[in-house]
């Protein structure tokens, strides 16, 4: 059920996340920031950022997402730890693993595995997402950084907001792209026709993806994508937007595609400044077997 608040003169120029934390009982500022990020909060019918300063007469509407209390249990699930110290863990997440528990995925997640591996994860994102600074989709494989304490968490989040974290992905997309390099700059928000999907929409948040074509095949291209921003499903939405959707993508791609267990997308490398030492760290992992076998298949046909 939608709720509405009309901004008064006395609220003029307040940050929207601060204002709503005062208006909505039992909602923390970090929760509200999450709702803003997921477009559960709109101002005059449009999505805004957490630092938006409200104006008298603004109509704020919000829908509080349903939450299901979760009792997180540590699970002895194999984890490929690429790097670990007292502040940060970098893991190579396999395709098919959900990052954190949610409705329909209460166990078997990366968080369940992390809780078994260590008991010192940051608590900023609450009990349901301990240590989670950013995430990658269930069927996307590759590198993810996790914070082991709140100070590290705040540092990594700030680096993401400042766009200083380097994130590169490998993808197989439909069609032959006619140029070697490209940049997609198009805002992403909830698809007004399907709230379960994201889309390029005028009211969305700024989103920038750079790409380089690595190989061309008869009906597909092998590309490397570099994220400047990190919107939900960004690469999947942006590649669809330029008419080169990811192979195997069940949500944004065509039905007739390569036989894959989800989209052909791999988080190849990640680089960031260590939250305590300030040292620049960079890690890289090869794509999983299914991805490389698909590439070999396409090469054999070309």
């Amino acid at each position: 059920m939608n709720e509405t608040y009309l901004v008064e003169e006395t609220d003029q120029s307040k940050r929207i996340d601060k204002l709503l934390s005062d208006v909505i009982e039992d909602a923390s500022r970090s929760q509200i920031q999450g709702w803003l990020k997921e477009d559960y909060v709109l101002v005059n019918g449009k999505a805004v950022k957490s630092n938006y300063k409200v104006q008298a007469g603004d109509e704020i509407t919000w829908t509080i997402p349903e939450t299901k209390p979760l009792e997180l249990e540590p699970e002895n699930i194999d984890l490929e730890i690429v790097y670990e110290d007292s502040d940060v863990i970098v893991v190579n997440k396999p395709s098919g693993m959900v990052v954190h528990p949610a409705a329909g995925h209460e166990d078997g997640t990366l968080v369940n595995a992390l809780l078994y591996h260590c008991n010192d994860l940051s608590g900023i994102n609450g009990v349901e997402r301990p240590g989670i600074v950013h995430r990658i989709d269930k069927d996307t494989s590759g590198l993810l950084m996790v914070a082991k304490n709140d100070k590290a968490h705040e540092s990594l989040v700030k680096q993401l907001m400042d766009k200083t974290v380097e994130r590169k992905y490998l993808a197989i997309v439909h069609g032959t792209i006619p140029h070697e390099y490209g940049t997609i700059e198009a805002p992403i928000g909830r698809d007004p026709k399907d709230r379960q999907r994201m889309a390029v929409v005028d009211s969305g948040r700024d989103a920038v993806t750079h790409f380089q074509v690595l190989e061309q095949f008869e009906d597909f291209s092998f590309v490397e994508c570099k994220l400047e921003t990190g919107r939900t499903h960004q690469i999947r939405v942006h590649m669809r937007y330029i008419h080169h959707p990811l192979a195997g993508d069940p949500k944004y791609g065509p039905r007739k595609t390569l036989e894959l267990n989800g989209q052909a997308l791999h988080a190849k490398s990640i680089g960031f400044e260590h939250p305590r030492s300030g040292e620049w760290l960079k890690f890289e992992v090869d794509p999983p077997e299914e991805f490389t076998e698909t590439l070999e298949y396409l090469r054999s046909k070309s």
Side-chain angles (χ1 to χ4, degrees), residues 1-253:
M1 184 174 66
N2 286 341
E3 297 189 51
T4 302
Y5 181 82
L6 192 64
V7 176
E8 301 174 350
E9 291 281 352
T10 53
D11 299 322
Q12 180 79 18
S13 298
K14 287 184 179 178
R15 278 180 56 123
I16 188 169
D17 56 349
K18 175 65 171 67
L19 173 64
L20 287 182
S21 67
D22 295 333
V23 170
I24 305 173
E25 292 184 14
D26 301 322
S28 69
R29 191 166 175 178
S30 60
Q31 276 182 306
I32 290 165
Q33 289 171 347
W35 299 347
L36 284 157
K37 187 175 181 181
E38 296 295 328
D39 295 349
Y40 286 110
V41 179
L42 302 176
V43 177
N44 303 322
K46 295 183 178 180
V48 297
K49 295 181 179 180
S50 298
N51 62 358
Y52 172 80
K53 293 185 178 179
V54 300
Q55 304 298 312
D58 278 350
E59 184 181 78
I60 304 172
T61 57
W62 67 90
T63 303
I64 299 177
E66 293 184 9
T67 57
K68 179 181 178 181
L70 294 172
E71 294 184 7
L72 296 186
E73 295 291 336
E75 295 182 50
N76 187 6
I77 302 169
D78 286 340
L79 274 180
E80 184 180 342
I81 307 292
V82 177
Y83 174 84
E84 181 177 8
D85 61 24
S86 59
D87 297 295
V88 179
I89 305 177
V90 178
V91 299
N92 182 16
K93 186 190 82 67
S95 174
M97 175 182 274
V98 174
V99 171
H100 58 76
H105 297 285
E106 286 82 9
D107 52 29
T109 72
L110 178 64
V111 163
N112 295 110
L114 286 167
L115 287 172
Y116 184 90
H117 175 75
C118 63
N119 57 8
D120 53 348
L121 298 173
S122 77
I124 287 180
N125 267 347
V127 295
E128 295 177 9
R129 303 183 185 186
I132 301 303
V133 177
H134 67 122
R135 68 180 191 84
I136 54 180
D137 299 328
K138 173 190 173 186
D139 292 327
T140 299
S141 58
L143 294 171
L144 199 72
M145 56 184 182
V146 178
K148 296 182 76 172
N149 55 66
D150 290 356
K151 185 176 180 180
H153 192 121
E154 289 171 353
S155 171
L156 296 175
V157 167
K158 185 176 187 302
Q159 290 180 58
L160 286 165
M161 292 178 65
D162 292 343
K163 303 178 183 178
T164 59
V165 176
E166 182 185 287
R167 287 172 289 173
K168 291 183 179 179
Y169 289 70
L170 298 175
I172 302 171
V173 302
H174 283 269
T176 54
I177 300 176
H179 38 266
E180 188 177 354
Y181 297 94
T183 294
I184 309 164
E185 188 169 358
I188 292 176
R190 293 278 170 190
D191 188 334
K193 297 178 181 178
D194 183 352
R195 298 292 290 177
Q196 299 300 312
R197 301 200 327 173
M198 308 301 286
V200 171
V201 291
D202 290 339
S203 61
R205 302 181 186 280
D206 66 298
V208 181
T209 305
H210 307 282
F211 68 86
Q212 176 185 0
V213 178
L214 303 177
E215 286 185 68
Q216 295 276 24
F217 307 111
E218 185 177 347
D219 297 310
F220 294 88
S221 299
F222 177 35
V223 300
E224 178 186 271
C225 296
K226 182 178 180 180
L227 291 182
E228 189 171 311
T229 55
R231 305 305 174 206
T232 301
H233 299 169
Q234 179 171 317
I235 293 173
R236 299 166 68 186
V237 172
H238 269 174
M239 296 311 291
R240 173 187 171 89
Y241 180 65
I242 65 168
H243 309 295
H244 292 285
L246 268 64
D249 193 332
K251 190 179 289 284
Y252 300 102

